[in-house]
Amino acid sequence: MKVQLYAVCLGKEWEWRLTIHSQTDIQYWFEQYAADAGLVLFEPFISLGQGVRLLERLKGERSFEFETDVGSTLQRFRLIAKECEIPNGNDSDMKMIRYAIWRQGMSPRIPLNATVYAKIVEACSGRSLLIEEFQQLLEAAGIDLHPEDAWLSYLQLGHLNGDLEVGNGLGIVERRDWRKGFRKMWTYRCKRCGSGEKRMFWSDCLHCGQACPYCEECLTMGRSRFCSCLFLGGRRK
Ligand SMILES: [Zn+2]
Ligand SMILES: [Zn+2]
């Protein structure tokens, strides 16, 4: 799955976020905070796994000055993207999203139904699900969504509300290996079954268009990839 990173400002500080459906986020912030919300959306779309990694890194950085110095902000972002090994990180671009323009109806409103939303949150509660499992669950619960990709928007809304947590299938751990001259190494761990590096298998991935690891240990439950969406139902603590 591909995602986008963005930063939102509701006062002084900018906060980094990740989205699987940016229109949902834009609507969410502007409907609540109107012109008080500042939004900066980054392109291009990146693999969910890399998005999670880049987001963690950005959260640990000193704050960005989006309003005052666009040029050096973008440069700094590109540098961090490159360090996180984001393909084409150097070509990243950013776009300010303005409330006034959004209000004029430049982007279509997403019709989100509160009853459907509540049903989805309830059905997912306490579960850890890949998208395929989620779609089976919707079917079993008799939840019929229109248009067909509306589930992306509902999942993202759940994430924004803290009713569920959108993440990726594999976690990444950074360490330095003394046997390799303390070079930075990354190892992967399955977020679903907890398996480590030994059970990871690399293959060219159709979903993110690059070499991408998945967990062999829990393969019978569906492929948990670095780029696949694995989300947890239930309120975030
Ligand atoms: Zn696993
Ligand atoms: Zn992939």
Side-chain angles (χ1 to χ4, degrees):
M1 173 174 282
K2 296 253 179 172
V3 299
Q4 266 184 301
L5 284 184
Y6 71 95
V8 59
C9 181
L10 306 170
K12 271 191 188 154
E13 291 276 296
W14 287 86
E15 187 189 323
W16 287 100
R17 297 220 162 218
L18 177 151
T19 181
I20 57 173
H21 196 263
S22 62
Q23 292 305 327
T24 305
D25 296 71
I26 295 169
Q27 183 165 314
Y28 179 84
W29 296 116
F30 284 158
E31 274 182 352
Q32 289 183 78
Y33 296 92
D36 289 340
L39 285 173
V40 180
L41 191 64
F42 284 82
E43 279 175 346
F45 284 79
I46 54 178
S47 124
L48 174 59
Q50 282 165 334
V52 169
R53 177 174 168 190
L54 183 55
L55 180 68
E56 273 170 29
R57 172 69 201 275
L58 286 164
K59 280 181 171 173
E61 288 282 313
R62 66 186 158 83
S63 67
F64 278 68
E65 299 292 335
F66 289 106
E67 299 283 2
T68 48
D69 192 351
V70 175
S72 63
T73 295
L74 185 57
Q75 219 170 14
R76 201 170 137 211
F77 180 86
R78 285 177 177 165
L79 200 73
I80 295 169
K82 207 176 140 199
E83 279 172 26
C84 288
E85 296 173 348
I86 307 295
N88 307 322
N90 264 333
D91 301 330
S92 319
D93 217 342
M94 60 186 239
K95 189 167 71 177
M96 278 271 174
I97 314 282
R98 304 277 177 202
Y99 174 70
I101 295 174
W102 175 79
R103 207 183 44 178
Q104 286 164 17
M106 294 298 279
S107 35
R109 293 281 172 119
I110 306 156
L112 290 164
N113 179 301
T115 314
V116 172
Y117 175 77
K119 272 192 202 169
I120 292 177
V121 169
E122 198 194 308
C124 297
S125 175
R127 293 167 191 255
S128 148
L129 299 161
L130 290 170
I131 296 305
E132 300 79 32
E133 296 170 300
F134 171 65
Q135 279 164 341
Q136 286 162 9
L137 188 82
L138 287 186
E139 215 171 297
I143 302 167
D144 204 6
L145 294 180
H146 299 284
E148 250 173 51
D149 66 349
W151 58 270
L152 276 170
S153 191
Y154 280 105
L155 276 189
Q156 186 58 29
L157 181 65
H159 184 72
L160 286 162
N161 283 333
D163 288 329
L164 46 91
E165 193 178 341
V166 174
N168 65 328
L170 307 180
I172 192 166
V173 187
E174 191 184 298
R175 62 187 174 88
R176 290 185 189 269
D177 192 338
W178 60 272
R179 283 161 298 200
K180 297 196 168 124
F182 292 98
R183 213 154 49 91
K184 253 190 211 173
M185 308 272 294
W186 285 278
T187 56
Y188 297 85
R189 179 165 290 278
C190 179
K191 289 185 187 171
R192 186 167 56 181
C193 73
S195 293
E197 196 62 19
K198 288 200 178 89
R199 301 300 287 151
M200 296 300 137
F201 187 84
W202 287 74
S203 70
D204 285 328
C205 173
L206 283 176
H207 304 280
C208 65
Q210 52 196 291
C212 176
Y214 66 82
C215 174
E216 276 189 319
E217 186 64 35
C218 61
L219 191 57
T220 49
M221 290 158 66
R223 202 162 296 209
S224 178
R225 289 184 175 279
F226 184 49
C227 75
S228 59
C229 180
L230 179 74
F231 67 93
L232 309 172
R235 189 152 270 276
R236 271 200 299 265
K237 298 203 176 69

